[in-house]
Amino acid sequence: MTVPIKILDVKPKIPEALQSIKGLSENLWFVWNYEARELFRRMDPDIWNETRRNPVELLCRLSQDKLEGLTEDEGFLAHMTRVRQDFDRYMSEETDLSVYGKNGRPFLVAYFTAECGLGDCLPIYSGGLGILSGDHLKSASDLTLPIIGISLAYQKGYFRQYLTQDGWQMETYPINQFATMPMALIRDSNGNPIKIAVILKSEKVIIQVWQVHVGRTKLFLLDTNVPENADWAKNITAELYGGDREMRICQEMVLGIGGVRMLKALGLDPAVYHMNEGHSAFTAFERIRALREEEGLSFNEALEFVRFTNVFTTHTPVSEGIDTFKTDLMRVYLSDFAKAMGISFEVLQGFGRQNPWNKEEEFSMAVLALRVSNWSNGVSRLHGQVSQRMWRNIWPNTSKFDLPITHVTNGIHTPSWISEEMAVNYNRYLGPRWIEDPDNMKVWERVDKIPDTELWRTKERARERLVTFTRGRLRKQLIKRGHVDRDVAIADEILNPGTLTIGFARRFAQYKRADLLLRDIERLEKILTNKKHPVQIIFAGKAHPQDNVGKELIKRLVQTTNRDTFRRHMVFLEDYNMEIARHMVQGVDVWLNTPRRPFEACGTSGMKAVANGVLHLSVLDGWWDEGFDRQIGWAIGTGEVYEDNSFQDDIESRSLYNILEKEIIPLFYERGTDGLPRRWLAMMKASLHQLCPMFNTHRMVEEYWDRFYIPAAEHGTQLREGAWQGVKNLSAWREKIMFNWTNVVIKNIEMEQVESVELGEVYHVEADLFLGDLSAEDVVVEAYCGRLDPSDQYTDRFVQIMSLSNTDEDHLYRYQCDVEFEEAGHFGLNIRVTPNHPNPESRHIMGLAVWGQK
């Protein structure tokens, strides 16, 4: 076999008149700018689609004659000049690091994520987590916030899906050719690729770094597929979520440890590290190791600094979705690293266990991230509560109301997902501020100014495009599967551009219940094939390659769509990706979401649909639990959680059918004399007004910035001051607290011996504490009060700080307070002692509390 002895990347020769195209092709800004996308499509529509809308590959595949011909096309040149001017104007608003934080201190945020979905041309993502990461960076760019992304450069990315004739999912893994993608190797001044190394199983693994321009910000991708590495090491960054547990720990060490070393090699010193899911939690270990080696800090001192400058976001509502590693595997990969951090391997293991002393418990990346982060959050209000229940054993003595996990509800990058016509409506009637300030409620009040005729025409055009797109995709699918010509011909007749269209697209995990609509096939058939008021449904989504239950769901769904009575009304589109997602969220009328509550962490696909005027129909889970209003959409159930899953499915499927038959279908087909569904349009406008300003990534990123990033950066600055004296003081204080906490005892509690008090009266409480070698300044003593349920469990709480009133010769500290109740009811009281942390936000992070006993 002949093999090349030299490999060269031959770049296209861009004519001088088209030089602006090159810069535009190298920045993913085009992904959320319609005019830029249209400029590339105009160069060659067929190649543009064949390359998955990749402008770098498009330029490589265009003939030189075609490029030269474009220099004579005045319309194209004018279009190019207009787009380039818009791009230059956008890029000229450079991030001014000096304006952020108190006292104008500059700082950088490093955003670590295992996947990042920015565009079709960069397929290194699998689903919602990756799309969310990409939208996070896009909004950071729009807001000119100094946030950079760090992820892995997957050679094969996530799998491509195709179906057999009977509907069984199969997978292929096309190779990503990085040289023809909008990314570039980072090189030193001599032109050599910058490389770093990590030690895995006593072997040095070399990592090179790719850079992706995302508007004004950057994404850095780590790549182990380099000649210096052994074959097993080259494959570490081959597949997203591929391989076994050993492959996963290698990927996460490359991402976390390698990512920190990469930033140092590039001369970047982020003030804040944001771990998007637990995959990158090893960043904490590497930062501690570096601080010990470079700054001479102890392990505990370095840990304090790292914890104060870490932010962790969990996206997983089930423990099975968390990466965990057995002790033997951890020992192989991290026993030497523990020594480099100055701790024993057993102590390292404890950081990843809910119970650090339970040697049978596997090491959890989420537990590690929670233990080393001062700020932790779920991705919706409900998911924040679920996360608190999942991880409360990490802080067994902490009240459920004070568990240090909050929530920041996800959003979407609106310009990336709306149709051109919808953007035109927004520009015309909302003004340009809808892009600059999409979370401004006042701006979205102007949706009422959009004429009903224009809004409905926009929706009809989007639905027509979706039908045309679906027919073309289905025809290709059927030909590929080997279907007979008769079946292929029917693809041109499926769906109707004027029919009520429902969309369902997401990962085919069992809890998402893609088959909820199929529980009563006869009833579904009557709904879809009603001659006067028909309905059509488009499905799309992938099952994990190892999830046979999810694959069975797809198979059953596809076989149902193949029935003669269904095939013109129900379609499954294979190989779900961003292109299919955009067509669906823009073109359907109703977005359907049927997870089993409370297993949907957020569910951002519905937000994308809403921004296009689509009405939402969902179980009250994820974001819809906080977004639902009867005036803007529909809820399946009222938030119940059943122990019997089959019973729950029966109840909620009947609710789903009832909503369709009695509410959605009649409302959609209710037309005035002008042919417009006026009440439907009113719901569309109310939905846009109420939901768009809240559920977008501009609001989300600004929330992270204000609530987490700025405080983390400021605390980090304070801890560094005076040759790290701040962090040394904090570490010494924590060590004193941890060493002496077992000696803290509530010796005596005195409460008035009455059974009730009247509203407005005060109730006096006193308590004696023994603090050992701690002082009164080291603790906070509170009267802990709250309403009780019938089983005498707290349903809420308020606290009253108790003041020190006396210290006696036996070193007993007497505290007292008067509790005043603002509401009537059945209340409980207790006394709680917690550390008086120098940073009040961190008081409950330590998980230490002493409670009064009966």
Side-chain angles (χ1 to χ4, degrees):
M1 175 191 258
T2 302
V3 295
I5 60 172
K6 176 68 176 177
I7 296 175
L8 292 171
D9 291 322
V10 180
K11 304 294 184 182
K13 185 177 181 180
I14 308 295
E16 187 64 32
L18 301 182
Q19 281 300 310
S20 291
I21 285 286
K22 188 173 185 299
L24 292 170
S25 72
E26 294 170 346
N27 192 310
L28 289 178
W29 172 79
F30 74 85
V31 168
W32 67 95
N33 184 280
Y34 174 79
E35 283 293 325
R37 294 197 306 273
E38 184 62 19
L39 177 69
F40 291 123
R41 191 198 68 80
R42 186 171 178 173
M43 297 178 81
D44 192 304
D46 292 334
I47 296 179
W48 177 241
N49 288 324
E50 289 169 13
T51 61
R52 295 168 65 95
R53 292 148 299 283
N54 179 350
V56 175
E57 187 176 354
L58 169 72
L59 291 175
C60 288
R61 290 182 53 179
L62 286 175
S63 68
Q64 201 63 40
D65 286 345
K66 185 66 176 284
L67 287 171
E68 295 293 344
L70 288 171
T71 65
E72 306 297 325
D73 186 336
E74 292 183 1
F76 177 83
L77 293 177
H79 188 173
M80 180 187 69
T81 299
R82 186 170 65 252
V83 171
R84 184 68 203 211
Q85 288 172 345
D86 287 345
F87 176 69
D88 290 342
R89 189 181 306 115
Y90 179 88
M91 294 299 293
S92 67
E93 298 178 31
E94 295 181 2
T95 302
D96 181 1
L97 300 185
S98 67
V99 304
Y100 300 107
K102 290 182 180 177
N103 304 318
R105 291 193 181 97
F107 69 92
L108 181 68
V109 176
Y111 179 79
F112 281 74
T113 181
E115 53 173 299
C116 194
L118 290 161
D120 302 305
C121 59
L122 202 63
I124 55 172
Y125 65 93
S126 70
L129 176 68
I131 299 298
L132 184 279
S133 301
D135 282 8
H136 193 115
L137 293 181
K138 292 173 186 176
S139 279
S141 170
D142 288 346
L143 294 165
T144 65
L145 294 175
I147 302 171
I148 56 172
I150 299 93
S151 191
L152 300 181
Y154 299 103
Q155 194 76 54
K156 298 179 182 178
Y158 202 53
F159 72 90
R160 302 285 299 275
Q161 176 197 57
Y162 70 96
L163 304 179
T164 62
Q165 201 165 73
D166 67 349
W168 186 256
Q169 174 182 292
M170 303 293 286
E171 299 89 26
T172 61
Y173 292 86
I175 302 296
N176 285 328
Q177 188 63 263
F178 295 153
T180 57
M181 296 169 71
M183 53 195 289
L185 270 179
I186 299 181
R187 301 177 182 274
D188 61 22
S189 56
N190 296 318
N192 299 314
I194 290 178
K195 295 181 179 180
I196 47 145
V198 296
I199 303 298
L200 302 178
K201 286 196 303 187
S202 303
E203 186 171 336
K204 181 184 285 188
V205 174
I206 306 300
I207 305 167
Q208 63 185 3
V209 188
W210 298 84
Q211 179 174 269
V212 179
H213 291 279
V214 186
R216 303 180 183 110
T217 191
K218 296 180 178 67
L219 170 67
F220 298 101
L221 301 173
L222 305 169
D223 179 14
T224 63
N225 186 21
V226 297
E228 299 96 315
N229 286 336
D231 287 344
W232 70 270
K234 290 179 181 177
N235 287 327
I236 291 173
T237 55
E239 294 179 18
L240 173 58
Y241 304 141
D244 55 14
R245 291 288 94 186
E246 186 165 13
M247 176 58 74
R248 188 62 65 84
I249 198 172
C250 288
Q251 287 187 337
E252 295 180 358
M253 290 182 73
V254 168
L255 176 60
I257 297 171
V260 175
R261 294 180 182 179
M262 177 270 295
L263 292 170
K264 181 176 178 59
L266 298 183
L268 299 173
D269 183 21
V272 180
Y273 284 71
H274 185 170
M275 298 172 288
N276 192 43
E277 253 314 347
H279 308 110
S280 57
F282 288 139
T283 56
F285 285 167
E286 170 59 15
R287 294 180 65 202
I288 290 170
R289 183 206 63 77
L291 285 168
R292 291 187 72 251
E293 181 180 300
E294 298 165 10
E295 303 292 342
L297 301 182
S298 69
F299 172 83
N300 286 338
E301 291 166 350
L303 174 61
E304 290 299 330
F305 180 76
V306 168
R307 182 182 280 125
F308 261 88
T309 52
N310 267 356
V311 177
F312 169 55
T313 299
T314 174
H315 293 256
T316 310
V318 289
S319 56
E320 292 79 10
I322 303 294
D323 282 348
T324 61
F325 303 113
K326 294 183 182 298
T327 299
D328 289 345
L329 188 62
M330 289 289 294
R331 182 172 285 110
V332 168
Y333 281 91
L334 285 154
S335 58
D336 288 342
F337 204 91
K339 296 175 185 175
M341 289 194 294
I343 58 175
S344 68
F345 175 72
E346 288 71 24
V347 170
L348 181 147
Q349 278 284 94
F351 275 90
R353 293 171 174 156
Q354 294 194 56
N355 179 355
W357 297 275
N358 180 6
K359 294 187 177 181
E360 302 302 313
E361 186 180 340
E362 292 190 4
F363 185 96
S364 165
M365 295 298 284
V367 172
L368 170 60
L370 288 165
R371 287 196 183 280
V372 297
S373 299
N374 201 53
W375 288 271
S376 299
N377 69 280
V379 291
S380 68
R381 180 179 61 196
L382 180 60
H383 181 237
Q385 298 165 2
V386 170
S387 299
Q388 289 179 341
R389 290 197 295 270
M390 282 178 65
W391 306 115
R392 67 172 307 161
N393 289 339
I394 297 175
W395 306 277
N397 294 319
T398 301
S399 158
K400 67 178 181 180
F401 303 106
D402 295 308
L403 291 168
I405 304 176
T406 182
H407 79 276
V408 175
T409 302
N410 282 343
I412 62 157
H413 184 251
T414 308
S416 292
W417 298 103
I418 61 171
S419 67
E420 179 199 4
E421 292 90 347
M422 190 61 82
V424 168
N425 282 329
Y426 292 164
N427 288 332
R428 182 176 298 154
Y429 298 104
L430 275 62
R433 288 191 64 193
W434 80 266
I435 293 181
E436 302 165 6
D437 197 12
D439 53 347
N440 187 323
M441 189 70 75
K442 289 287 186 184
V443 169
W444 289 95
E445 287 178 357
R446 299 179 196 146
V447 295
D448 287 334
K449 295 180 181 292
I450 304 175
D452 284 354
T453 51
E454 292 192 34
L455 186 57
W456 191 240
R457 195 180 304 122
T458 295
K459 172 49 61 184
E460 289 189 310
R461 279 200 293 264
R463 193 188 312 114
E464 289 167 3
R465 274 199 311 274
L466 172 61
V467 169
T468 301
F469 172 80
T470 301
R471 288 172 176 173
R473 291 283 297 212
L474 183 61
R475 168 177 273 275
K476 291 177 182 177
Q477 288 175 198
L478 296 176
I479 292 173
K480 193 185 298 182
R481 290 182 211 162
H483 280 261
V484 298
D485 290 346
R486 175 182 171 275
D487 291 339
V488 174
I490 290 176
D492 295 330
E493 303 172 6
I494 62 149
L495 307 182
N496 186 313
T499 295
L500 170 62
T501 305
I502 299 172
F504 181 101
R506 55 193 33 87
R507 183 165 53 91
F508 268 66
Q510 189 174 15
Y511 78 86
K512 291 181 182 284
R513 300 187 299 177
D515 59 343
L516 198 66
L517 263 176
L518 308 184
R519 290 187 78 82
D520 189 337
I521 289 293
E522 291 182 3
R523 191 171 179 184
L524 177 62
E525 182 179 333
K526 289 178 182 177
I527 290 172
L528 298 185
T529 60
N530 184 292
K531 290 194 178 345
K532 186 177 180 182
H533 296 150
V535 178
Q536 55 200 21
I537 308 174
I538 303 173
F539 290 91
K542 297 177 178 179
H544 188 279
Q546 298 170 9
D547 181 6
N548 287 331
V549 174
K551 290 183 177 183
E552 287 289 352
L553 277 175
I554 292 175
K555 180 179 177 181
R556 183 183 172 204
L557 195 55
V558 171
Q559 291 178 347
T560 303
T561 67
N562 287 336
R563 293 189 181 194
D564 287 340
T565 51
F566 282 94
R567 62 173 58 204
R568 287 177 172 80
H569 303 272
M570 202 160 103
V571 181
F572 183 92
L573 293 178
E574 65 184 56
D575 201 26
Y576 183 48
N577 58 18
M578 291 177 77
E579 180 189 20
I580 292 176
R582 267 192 296 271
H583 277 89
M584 288 186 65
V585 299
Q586 292 170 9
V588 301
D589 300 291
V590 174
W591 194 259
L592 177 62
N593 189 31
T594 55
R596 183 175 289 116
R597 178 183 166 113
F599 297 127
E600 183 83 285
C602 187
T604 54
S605 60
M607 301 177 191
K608 302 176 180 78
V610 161
N612 283 283
V614 177
L615 298 181
H616 202 51
L617 166 61
S618 175
V619 171
L620 289 173
D621 199 5
W623 77 279
W624 195 233
D625 184 64
E626 56 197 276
F628 169 68
D629 184 303
R630 292 176 61 87
Q631 307 304 314
I632 61 175
W634 298 274
I636 302 168
T638 56
E640 307 92 340
V641 176
Y642 300 83
E643 291 186 10
D644 185 331
N645 288 341
S646 180
F647 178 71
Q648 180 174 358
D649 293 349
D650 283 338
I651 292 290
E652 294 183 346
S653 66
R654 286 198 292 272
S655 174
L656 172 55
Y657 293 133
N658 287 337
I659 292 170
L660 287 172
E661 292 169 337
K662 297 176 181 179
E663 298 184 49
I664 293 177
I665 297 171
L667 186 66
F668 179 84
Y669 285 106
E670 178 189 293
R671 306 296 166 97
T673 54
D674 54 4
L676 296 178
R678 295 284 182 179
R679 289 206 301 143
W680 185 276
L681 284 160
M683 279 189 78
M684 286 174 62
K685 290 182 177 180
S687 173
L688 291 169
H689 174 205
Q690 198 164 319
L691 299 176
C692 288
M694 176 57 65
F695 299 103
N696 64 79
T697 42
H698 278 46
R699 184 272 312 157
M700 180 193 81
V701 171
E702 287 177 323
E703 199 170 336
Y704 277 116
W705 188 265
D706 293 335
R707 291 175 55 193
F708 301 156
Y709 296 167
I710 287 178
E714 290 175 347
H715 285 311
T717 299
Q718 293 165 9
L719 293 175
R720 282 178 182 262
E721 289 174 350
W724 296 92
Q725 194 57 48
V727 78
K728 292 176 181 178
N729 293 341
L730 180 58
S731 177
W733 176 84
R734 180 187 283 263
E735 289 176 18
K736 180 179 74 168
I737 295 292
M738 299 296 288
F739 184 77
N740 290 286
W741 193 254
T742 54
N743 297 325
V744 176
V745 180
I746 301 175
K747 288 283 191 179
N748 179 50
I749 298 175
E750 295 181 8
M751 296 184 180
E752 296 180 58
Q753 298 302 305
V754 296
E755 298 298 322
S756 64
V757 295
E758 287 189 357
L759 200 64
E761 290 183 351
V762 296
Y763 183 76
H764 190 70
V765 180
E766 296 189 4
D768 293 324
L769 271 65
F770 178 74
L771 300 179
D773 290 335
L774 299 180
S775 69
E777 290 74 24
D778 291 323
V779 298
V780 175
V781 185
E782 299 162 311
Y784 186 97
C785 317
R787 196 181 299 273
L788 301 178
D789 64 17
S791 60
D792 287 341
Q793 299 295 311
Y794 286 102
T795 60
D796 57 23
R797 66 100 171 89
F798 67 92
V799 295
Q800 173 69 51
I801 299 292
M802 300 181 70
S803 59
L804 181 64
S805 62
N806 186 42
T807 305
D808 67 19
E809 55 197 26
D810 294 324
H811 300 291
L812 287 180
Y813 296 78
R814 170 150 288 214
Y815 287 82
Q816 67 175 10
C817 73
D818 290 324
V819 178
E820 185 171 351
F821 296 90
E822 296 182 354
E823 296 178 340
H826 185 58
F827 286 82
L829 289 81
N830 202 340
I831 305 298
R832 180 177 68 177
V833 185
T834 54
N836 185 22
H837 200 288
N839 173 34
E841 297 169 339
S842 307
R843 182 153 59 99
H844 301 293
I845 290 286
M846 299 176 71
L848 300 177
V850 175
W851 294 86
Q853 304 296 321
K854 286 186 179 180

